[in-house]
Amino acid sequence: MTNPTQYRLNKYISDTGFCSRRQADKYIEQGLVTVNGQIAPVGLKVSSSDEVTVDGKPLQEKPARIYLAYHKPVGITCTTERHVKGNIIDAIGYPQRIFPIGRLDKPSEGLIFLTNDGDIVNKVLRAGNAHEKEYSVTVNKPISASFIERMAKGVPILDTVTLPCTVTQVSRNTFKIILTQGLNRQIRRMAEYLGYEVVKLKRTRIMHIRLAELRAGQWRLLDKFELAQMEQLLQSSVKTAELAEHDDEE
């Protein structure tokens, strides 16, 4: 007989949509989580056959996975903290618990994914998995050929050198850039290092999904064809708990 798959208790609670992993850890530390009638210790692993309650409430079955694309407008903050004015969760108003995959700065706009599937997050974001993110960027003065070349080769920021990327001039002050990493405020810092200031930044694509006709503030669920292609692209992707390298998506 095959043993049932076991999960860390905080992940198991989070996957049901009851709360975040961080909040689950707090419930566990406070002795408010029971497994099969016993107060659960920190670090316990459970399976779907175990009876888990949080603060006296039994957990519901794990909900269907949700994946949506959102055109984040300028001014919206990519946080799940509801007390923050203009947070992305209130802006979307989705009826079930979801969270953003990565982030875009408050002054930036464009495509961002939200989901209730914690397993997918690092697979999408981790630079080593080389999933492309495309941006349209406008700067404060005319772009030179040297600027395009140096941006593409890599720029020293945050005690490292950015990975080589594809940069194409679109107009006098606008360029397109395709990244496979997401250091904190990466594009803004790269431009600043070369003497430019970003005045407009829009993410237009993540992997195979494009912003397309989504207007600022609109969202849509990914369709089955997009999800099938995403699953295929993520099959060989590595998960990691190290999030520092993609603290920000631009």
Side-chain angles (χ1 to χ4, degrees):
M1 182 176 176
T2 304
N3 292 326
T5 303
Q6 291 198 316
Y7 308 89
R8 284 193 173 275
L9 182 55
N10 62 350
K11 180 182 186 304
Y12 184 85
I13 294 170
S14 176
D15 282 352
T16 67
F18 186 90
C19 63
S20 67
R21 286 198 200 186
R22 184 177 299 177
Q23 184 60 52
D25 283 331
K26 291 180 181 178
Y27 283 129
I28 296 167
E29 291 167 1
Q30 292 168 5
L32 297 176
V33 179
T34 67
V35 176
N36 301 325
Q38 302 295 317
I39 294 177
V42 174
L44 182 69
K45 290 189 175 182
V46 297
S47 70
S48 57
S49 62
D50 290 310
E51 295 182 4
V52 180
T53 70
V54 181
D55 200 15
K57 302 171 185 175
L59 294 182
Q60 303 300 314
E61 290 186 10
K62 185 174 180 178
R65 291 181 178 181
I66 299 162
Y67 308 95
L68 62 84
Y70 174 54
H71 184 162
K72 186 195 90 66
V74 170
I76 295 299
T77 302
C78 292
T79 179
T80 58
E81 300 293 335
R82 305 293 288 273
H83 66 272
V84 175
K85 185 177 180 180
N87 70 80
I88 194 170
I89 303 303
D90 287 342
I92 293 176
Y94 197 77
Q96 297 180 45
R97 178 181 170 267
I98 54 174
F99 49 85
I101 300 179
R103 57 181 292 183
L104 280 169
D105 262 4
K106 189 174 181 178
S108 304
E109 68 170 299
L111 182 61
I112 187 166
F113 296 153
L114 291 98
T115 185
N116 62 349
D117 180 6
D119 290 336
I120 199 175
V121 176
N122 290 350
K123 287 184 176 183
V124 172
L125 295 180
R126 188 169 183 260
N129 292 329
H131 297 308
E132 291 184 348
K133 296 179 285 289
E134 184 175 327
Y135 302 79
S136 173
V137 187
T138 301
V139 289
N140 63 330
K141 59 185 180 180
I143 295 165
S144 66
S146 173
F147 173 83
I148 295 295
E149 181 181 2
R150 293 179 70 184
M151 288 283 283
K153 285 185 176 179
V155 175
I157 61 170
L158 298 172
D159 300 320
T160 187
V161 177
T162 58
L163 296 176
C165 59
T166 302
V167 186
T168 308
Q169 186 165 355
V170 175
S171 66
R172 191 164 179 259
N173 288 50
T174 302
F175 64 94
K176 178 178 73 175
I177 183 168
I178 301 173
L179 302 178
T180 56
Q181 66 182 143
L183 300 173
N184 184 272
R185 297 175 63 84
Q186 179 172 341
I187 296 172
R188 295 179 189 276
R189 291 179 190 273
M190 291 171 73
E192 182 180 5
Y193 180 85
L194 298 175
Y196 288 75
E197 179 185 347
V198 171
V199 296
K200 183 178 180 180
L201 189 152
K202 178 190 284 188
R203 184 158 59 198
T204 57
R205 176 172 66 88
I206 302 173
M207 299 165 65
H208 59 295
I209 312 255
R210 293 187 177 275
L211 193 61
E213 73 283 354
L214 271 183
R215 297 192 299 273
Q218 287 187 325
W219 61 268
R220 67 173 179 84
L221 294 172
L222 301 187
D223 65 40
K224 62 180 181 180
F225 301 106
E226 292 170 326
L227 290 174
Q229 191 171 355
M230 178 180 286
E231 185 176 347
Q232 185 175 16
L233 289 170
L234 295 178
Q235 273 184 347
S236 59
S237 296
V238 176
K239 292 189 296 183
T240 175
E242 297 298 326
L243 289 171
E245 66 176 309
H246 46 253
D247 180 68
D248 196 273
E249 278 293 285
E250 50 177 77

